[in-house]
Amino acid sequence: MSQLPPPSARLAAPAAHPARPRRRASGLWTVRAPISRRTYWVLALVGLFTPLVLWAAVGLWGGIDPVFMPAPLAVLAKTWTWATETGLLDDMGISIYRVVTGFLLSAVIALPLGLLIGSYRAVQALLEPLTDFVRYMPAVAFIPLVMLWVGIGEGSKIAIIFIGTFFQMVLMVAEDVRRVPAAQVEAAQTMGASRSELVEKVIFPSAKPALMDTMRITMGWAWTYLVVAELVAANSGLGYAILRAQRFLQTDTIFAGIIVIGLIGLITDQLFRLAHRRAFPWLYLKG
């Protein structure tokens, strides 16, 4: 009968299949992992300029009629002519005024209304079904009614942008308010907070970061309704210039107007993000 090796020898024996060290995943592909600011901006520039390079390649290829797809340089030249000779800055100014005014009117009414809908079930039952019903109606369908009710002046353009953003904003604000943890509300109630104090000092402050994100998103929607708004007897503005260029097949002007609107929207979005970081810096702390 063979003799077993002593326990010390058995413990010292190497494992038959040693564990292989795990390969460390790249930070770029780790879920929610932070990346350096330099990496972020490199990737952002790649994402922005890749479509531009592809567009330029299509233009250089020459297989597409410029009426359907003008080259980037042609669009850039048209934008310069528009800026120096035909009043691009004036068109930008009036469009920005219409969008910002319609957006601010929506926010002034939607914020308190959404706060009430998200805080009180009775208000939710009274107003949310109606808001859900109206928000699916296309804003362009209201143009004849707006012309009858408001006229064809600046008020009608602002009203269309208001209609396009208000009902969506109300529901998003209400949803942001409903996401406030119930534990916070219950703790305040235990400490004797009144209903108004719950809303003013617990629910609204807790929902502020989400509310600012909602404002940022709905500002983008306000810009998407600009062209629709400037269908109403307009004689200036970026949307009007795009619609006028469409009648004469001036595709370079259409592209120029779309790109200018996109650049204004990008700048606005980044300003909202900067304001969010400044207002709620603790949300961006690492670790």
Side-chain angles (χ1 to χ4, degrees):
M1 184 173 180
S2 62
Q3 189 175 6
L4 292 174
S8 58
R10 292 202 301 268
L11 291 174
H17 300 285
R20 295 182 181 179
R22 281 188 174 184
R23 294 178 60 186
R24 191 172 181 179
S26 171
L28 292 176
W29 304 111
T30 303
V31 176
R32 295 191 178 182
I35 60 175
S36 67
R37 195 168 187 82
R38 179 180 179 182
T39 304
Y40 176 87
W41 282 111
V42 168
L43 293 174
L45 291 174
V46 169
L48 283 171
F49 284 102
T50 298
L52 183 62
V53 171
L54 293 175
W55 179 18
V58 171
L60 291 173
W61 175 49
I64 299 178
D65 192 329
V67 173
F68 298 100
M69 181 66 73
L73 290 178
V75 174
L76 184 62
K78 186 64 180 181
T79 306
W80 177 255
T81 303
W82 189 1
T84 56
E85 299 179 10
T86 54
L88 173 60
L89 293 180
D90 292 337
D91 288 329
M92 288 172 58
I94 191 63
S95 291
I96 291 172
Y97 165 74
R98 289 164 179 164
V99 169
V100 171
T101 305
F103 169 79
L104 289 178
L105 285 175
S106 296
V108 166
I109 303 174
L111 279 172
L113 195 58
L115 188 60
L116 292 174
I117 292 174
S119 301
Y120 299 102
R121 289 296 180 90
V123 181
Q124 178 184 354
L126 180 66
L127 296 178
E128 194 170 58
L130 175 63
T131 308
D132 272 326
F133 173 70
V134 177
R135 77 185 178 99
Y136 282 100
M137 298 179 183
V140 68
F142 286 92
I143 288 179
L145 294 175
V146 168
M147 293 174 68
L148 287 173
W149 295 338
V150 185
I152 59 173
E154 286 302 309
S156 59
K157 287 84 170 169
I158 295 170
I160 292 297
I161 294 173
F162 172 86
I163 292 170
T165 56
F166 171 74
F167 298 98
Q168 309 281 356
M169 191 186 296
V170 167
L171 294 175
M172 291 183 69
V173 168
E175 193 62 33
D176 291 337
V177 171
R178 280 195 286 265
R179 289 198 187 103
V180 173
Q184 295 183 12
V185 178
E186 293 168 358
Q189 287 174 330
T190 303
M191 297 174 67
S194 64
R195 283 177 297 181
S196 60
E197 287 174 336
L198 280 174
V199 175
E200 294 173 11
K201 298 181 180 181
V202 178
I203 295 176
F204 182 63
S206 182
K208 274 183 180 178
L211 292 176
M212 184 171 283
D213 276 334
T214 292
M215 296 299 103
R216 177 175 62 85
I217 293 168
T218 49
M219 171 59 89
W221 289 342
W223 276 102
T224 63
Y225 285 104
L226 175 67
V227 177
V228 173
E230 292 182 346
L231 282 170
V232 185
N235 56 11
S236 61
L238 296 172
Y240 166 74
I242 291 172
L243 294 169
R244 183 184 59 192
Q246 179 187 1
R247 300 189 197 109
F248 300 100
L249 291 179
Q250 296 173 343
T251 319
D252 51 356
T253 302
I254 296 173
F255 271 83
I258 292 172
I259 291 172
V260 169
I261 291 174
L263 288 174
I264 295 173
L266 179 62
I267 293 170
T268 305
D269 192 83
Q270 294 305 310
L271 289 175
F272 265 105
R273 290 179 184 272
L274 178 61
H276 196 278
R277 296 181 74 94
R278 294 288 177 87
F280 314 108
W282 61 88
L283 296 176
Y284 299 89
L285 296 176
K286 295 180 180 179

